Amino acid sequence: MPRISPLALMALLGGLLMAASHPVILLYAPLEEQMGIIQKIFYLHLPLAWWGLFSFFLVFIASLLFLIRRDYFWDTLAEAGAEAGLVLAALTLVTGMIWARVSWNTWWTWDPRLSTTLILSFIYAGYMLTRGLDFSRERRALISAALGIVAFLDVPLVFFSAKLWPQTMHPQVVTGPKAGGLEPEMKLTLFFCLAAFGVFWAALLILRCRLGLAANRLEGLRARLALKENTPKEQDHG
Amino acid sequence: MIRPALILARKDLTLLCLRGNGLSQALLLGLLLIFIFSLARGLAELFSAQTAATVFWVSTLFCQVLIFNALYALEEDNGQRQVLLLIPAPVQSIWLGKALAGLALLLAAQAVFVPAVLIFLDQGLEGRTEWAPGLLILADLGLAAAGSLLGAIAQGRAAKESLLSLILFPLLLPLLLAAIRLGAGILSEPPAQEDLASWFRILIGFDCLFAAAGLVLFPFIYNAQE
């Protein structure tokens, strides 16, 4: 019997759970009285946002650990976390905008959470740009780690300043249904979706991390091969 | 650490001022931006104080990117980064020196931008004018600390100015928001309900964060082998 890797099982489980979350969202969770069917996007939006934020936190931790331990595994993990976080943050923005269009009648408005998510996406897009530069491996890892730390420490300031900024649109809608007072069925649906996205997110992260480690190994092998090929020539010259 | 930093800042300022190119480019870009934004005003319309403050700080930001690129290019373009690292002083003194030079250049540029905003955007100093020195110094301290920390990253890359802007601007957003609100409060009387002291707190928090980040993280960014 062929051996199935735990990662493949995890990805499969994540996919199945995500597929199962749709009937739960549409059939099990009750319809919200004021907002109607559009409120159901919230069950996708919140897990995306939470796991996205968690990815950025992971970048921070991995960056810190890289600076302390100088182990390239942490650098690869930070890269995987930033990529996953960027995708999830972008999806958070898209689902949030669809909800806002129906609920607030506008695609975009100044709201601390919206603005913070957008600014975070810009910050980590800049981080990914830096990672793409042609530095030596060591310098790229060090610069990215420093940037990953600064970026995350900046987040509270971004959020507080976005909160202080004068707001024009109905902020009570944000604090209304989301601030609490969820029906038990709604809560259960939400936790189910959080778990489903969590499994999928973890599988994605591990897969990306393994890809990064394989790329690192390939780079090392290529460097060694190049060294081997060059050594005899140099001896000839000598 | 302070003395080598001061010497470095003096050297950078002398070089940039003698050659003139770095600072005059930054100044011209800022002035041009202020002038171009003035086109957004209709014939009988007035710019709000907030719009004017935004234009002023956006010009400052672009100017900052040019200034820090020019400051780091002094060594990097000639492949002399290792020479700077050989200075018998902590690596952080390079960060401090570049930050001090950048701060001086930013303040000099703003001495030109302030009258430009008052003239081109038709503004008066009708608000809390006494806050202006505090705002300029606190905001520029943050800009200099962040610019000096990250300015070295983009050196030697294609399109280094736009690259540095993409890395810096999102991180500077809290500082920019605070500086715009406070700037608007200086140009016209701020609304009574607005808590402007909190904006000063954001500025100070930002300055502390980037000063600490510069002291701790700069060696990692600048010291590594190419």
Side-chain angles (χ1 to χ4, degrees), chain A residues 67 70 119 122-123 129-130 133-136 139 142-143 146-147 150 153-154 157-158 161 164-166, chain B residues 50 81 150 153 157 163 166-167 170-171 173-174 177 181 198-199 202 206 209-210 217 220-221 224-226:
Chain A
L67 289 189
R70 298 293 170 102
I119 295 166
F122 280 133
I123 290 180
L129 269 182
T130 317
L133 295 176
D134 56 341
F135 290 118
S136 73
R139 187 145 194 240
L142 283 173
I143 288 179
L147 206 56
V150 175
L153 293 179
D154 202 36
L157 276 178
V158 172
S161 58
L164 268 178
W165 192 259
Chain B
Q50 178 158 331
R81 192 160 63 92
L150 302 173
I153 293 180
R157 315 287 144 190
L163 180 67
L166 283 172
I167 300 170
L171 289 170
L173 243 287
L177 294 184
R181 284 314 288 178
S198 323
W199 287 117
I202 295 245
F206 189 91
L209 170 69
F210 273 90
L217 297 174
F220 295 114
I221 289 184
Q225 280 186 342
E226 195 58 67

Side-chain angles (χ1 to χ4, degrees), chain A residues 68-115:
Chain A
I68 298 168
R69 301 255 170 91
R70 298 293 170 102
D71 181 346
Y72 282 97
F73 167 75
W74 298 114
D75 179 52
T76 313
L77 184 67
E79 184 178 23
E83 269 184 25
L86 208 54
V87 173
L88 294 190
L91 288 174
T92 308
L93 284 174
V94 171
T95 48
M97 278 164 78
I98 295 172
W99 179 79
R101 179 77 184 98
V102 178
S103 225
W104 293 344
N105 201 24
T106 174
W107 292 107
W108 191 260
T109 177
W110 189 276
D111 169 85
R113 268 172 265 203
L114 286 184
S115 311

Side-chain angles (χ1 to χ4, degrees), chain A residues 24 43 46-47 50-51 182 184-198:
Chain A
V24 176
Y43 300 114
L46 192 97
W50 279 21
W51 287 112
L182 281 177
E185 289 93 346
M186 287 181 167
K187 254 185 203 158
L188 203 65
T189 313
L190 184 62
F191 285 135
F192 185 80
C193 291
L194 266 175
F197 274 80

